[in-house]
């Protein structure tokens, strides 16, 4: 079967690889669409410390069940599903606490193990989520769950004002999740197009932080108190600090992004404000179910969120173009519907 293989940094090609062999407890999936995210770009550029080469990329999946054992209702052959791309060991501290999304020994599809940019994959049935969605929406479920999980980590309720730093794919999920909970939601970015999409995803207010003073704008929107929750979805030292500086007293800060260098803080703010500072990693099953519920309700701008759709054979080219011009793309999806050779 054909697959997109990343041989080494900046060298990818569509090549033939062995078809997967379905094991007991797994379903064989015909891959229909795969979305690309920032971790795929970092892997392509050689900047992802967790990836090894060669590697088949891809963990944002829309697929159709081809083979499955009996006894896994409601899952059945012919059903469209998305996939949780994580593994868990069931023995580390995170797993024993029921937070398997943060498993110490997690292996994510397309990073520590081969991903889904191939004609077929075989996946454990407990990682599959059926939904009444078109393929484009189904392919957006996984990236949106990361933002939804950050909102869950922040304990967001309808009485909160939530500011989201960064409106890329993950930040957009956080905006949508906060709005879906009924919170007053503020989207912050330096890109007008991303801010416009964030408004369509539910943000009541936007701040262009290059043209507006972030502190003054947040103070004005919150009556001088600051947001109750700030979610950081960029990953720079400046935005890591801004989250702590701008959040309200006794507020909650949730970090999704990784800063690429050490971050220096005014630690007085942690104590003086009595902050809850929380990390957010991957997603839990309820996050998948909540995203599906939101998308089925039609309350997310799916078409606006996806900028590029290409067939598998064009994936190496679009990866190179994305690497050369990251700002020129929002969400890239690879369409495999015309690729399949089996049967």
């Amino acid at each position: 079967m054909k697959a997109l293989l990343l041989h080494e940094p900046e060298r990818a090609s569509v090549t033939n690889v062995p078809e997967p062999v379905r094991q007991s407890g797994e379903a064989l999936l015909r891959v229909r669409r795969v979305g690309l995210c920032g971790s795929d770009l970092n892997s392509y550029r050689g900047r992802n410390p967790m990836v090894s080469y060669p590697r088949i990329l891809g963990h944002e999946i829309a697929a159709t069940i081809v083979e499955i054992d009996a006894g896994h209702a409601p899952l059945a052959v012919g059903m469209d599903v998305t996939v949780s791309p994580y593994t868990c060991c069931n023995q580390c501290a995170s797993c024993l606490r029921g937070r398997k999304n943060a498993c110490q020994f997690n292996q994510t599809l397309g990073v520590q193990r081969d991903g889904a940019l191939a004609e077929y994959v075989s996946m454990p049935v407990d990682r599959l989520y059926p939904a009444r969605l078109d393929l484009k929406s189904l392919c957006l479920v996984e990236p949106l769950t990361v933002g939804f999980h950050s909102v869950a980590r922040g304990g967001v309720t309808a009485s909160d004002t939530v500011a989201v730093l960064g409106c890329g794919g993950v930040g957009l999920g956080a905006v949508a999740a906060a709005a879906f909970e009924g919170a007053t939601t503020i989207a912050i970015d330096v890109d007008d197009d991303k801010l416009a999409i964030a408004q369509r995803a539910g943000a009541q207010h936007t701040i262009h932080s290059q043209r507006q003073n972030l502190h003054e704008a947040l103070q004005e929107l919150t009556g001088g108190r600051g947001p109750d929750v700030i979610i950081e979805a960029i990953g720079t030292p400046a935005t890591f600090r801004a989250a702590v500086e701008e959040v309200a007293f006794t507020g909650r800060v949730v970090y999704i992004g990784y800063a690429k260098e050490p971050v220096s803080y005014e630690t007085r703010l942690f104590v003086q404000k009595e902050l809850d500072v929380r990390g957010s990693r991957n997603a839990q099953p309820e996050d998948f179910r909540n995203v599906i519920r939101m998308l089925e309700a039609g309350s997310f701008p799916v078409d606006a969120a996806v900028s590029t759709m290409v067939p598998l054979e064009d994936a190496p080219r679009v990866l190179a173009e994305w690497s050369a011009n990251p700002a020129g793309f929002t969400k890239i999806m690879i369409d495999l519907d015309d690729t399949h050779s089996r049967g």
Side-chain angles (χ1 to χ4, degrees):
M1 67 175 182
K2 293 180 179 179
L4 178 70
L5 187 65
L6 184 57
H7 302 273
E8 60 187 16
E10 300 186 339
R11 188 168 75 89
S13 69
V14 176
T15 187
N16 287 313
V17 300
E19 289 193 8
V21 177
R22 185 176 70 89
Q23 305 296 319
S24 177
E26 293 184 343
L28 182 66
L29 307 178
R30 172 183 171 178
V31 181
R32 309 287 300 282
R33 300 266 173 89
V34 175
L36 298 178
C37 79
S39 66
D40 297 310
L41 178 60
N42 285 333
S43 295
Y44 179 79
R45 290 171 153 182
R47 300 177 186 174
N48 187 343
M50 294 182 287
V51 75
S52 58
Y53 304 92
R55 179 66 66 223
I56 297 173
L57 298 176
H59 61 269
E60 302 176 0
I61 306 164
T64 301
I65 298 174
V66 175
E67 297 176 5
I68 189 171
D69 295 330
H72 293 293
L75 298 172
V77 169
M79 181 176 287
D80 292 335
V81 295
T82 192
V83 179
S84 174
Y86 319 117
T87 65
C88 59
C89 69
N90 294 314
Q91 296 179 345
C92 72
S94 298
C95 288
L96 293 174
R97 292 190 180 103
R99 291 165 63 178
K100 297 182 179 182
N101 59 296
C103 174
Q104 184 177 351
F105 305 104
N106 168 66
Q107 291 189 326
T108 299
L109 282 174
V111 183
Q112 296 97 338
R113 58 190 175 124
D114 281 338
L117 264 168
E119 293 182 72
Y120 297 89
V121 294
S122 189
M123 294 297 300
V125 294
D126 63 357
R127 294 288 187 269
L128 306 184
Y129 294 88
R132 299 183 301 274
L133 297 169
D134 62 81
L135 293 177
K136 187 184 290 186
S137 301
L138 194 59
C139 200
L140 280 175
V141 170
E142 192 280 332
L144 290 174
T145 64
V146 179
F148 265 64
H149 185 63
S150 72
V151 167
R153 289 284 291 145
V156 172
T157 68
S159 64
D160 287 321
T161 295
V162 180
V164 180
L165 288 161
C167 296
V170 170
L172 194 61
V175 168
F180 199 58
E181 290 291 339
T184 300
T185 307
I186 305 167
I188 303 163
D189 206 287
V190 297
D191 185 301
D192 286 322
D193 291 338
K194 290 180 179 178
L195 289 172
I197 296 172
Q199 279 189 303
R200 293 180 60 184
Q204 291 98 323
H205 308 284
T206 63
I207 298 172
H208 191 296
S209 55
Q210 281 187 339
R211 292 199 298 261
Q212 298 171 262
N213 181 286
L214 178 62
H215 175 72
E216 292 176 0
L218 286 174
Q219 289 290 296
E220 182 178 352
L221 289 172
T222 61
R225 294 184 298 275
D228 303 295
V229 182
I230 292 187
I231 297 172
E232 200 284 338
I234 300 175
T236 68
T239 51
F240 262 61
R241 284 190 291 267
V244 169
E245 292 165 358
E246 300 299 339
V247 75
F249 273 62
T250 65
R252 288 98 74 197
V253 171
V254 182
Y255 289 125
I256 312 174
Y258 293 155
K260 306 303 186 291
E261 56 189 277
V263 180
S264 298
Y265 283 99
E266 173 53 74
T267 56
R268 170 183 57 83
L269 296 177
F270 288 77
V271 177
Q272 187 178 32
K273 290 186 172 183
E274 197 174 52
L275 298 180
D276 291 333
V277 180
R278 303 170 184 177
S280 181
R281 182 184 177 194
N282 301 334
Q284 290 271 42
E286 58 263 34
D287 301 311
F288 279 83
R289 290 189 283 268
N290 285 336
V291 170
I292 289 169
R293 187 161 55 92
M294 177 196 70
L295 290 171
E296 288 179 340
S299 58
F300 186 82
V302 172
D303 289 335
V306 180
S307 65
T308 307
M309 182 85 68
V310 299
L312 180 63
E313 56 264 28
D314 288 345
R317 172 187 59 81
V318 81
L319 269 170
E321 292 176 357
W322 189 23
S323 180
N325 180 26
F329 298 85
T330 49
K331 173 58 66 180
I332 299 169
M333 286 187 183
I334 311 300
D335 185 352
L336 287 90
D337 266 355
D338 294 330
T339 304
H340 300 85
S341 57
R342 178 187 174 113

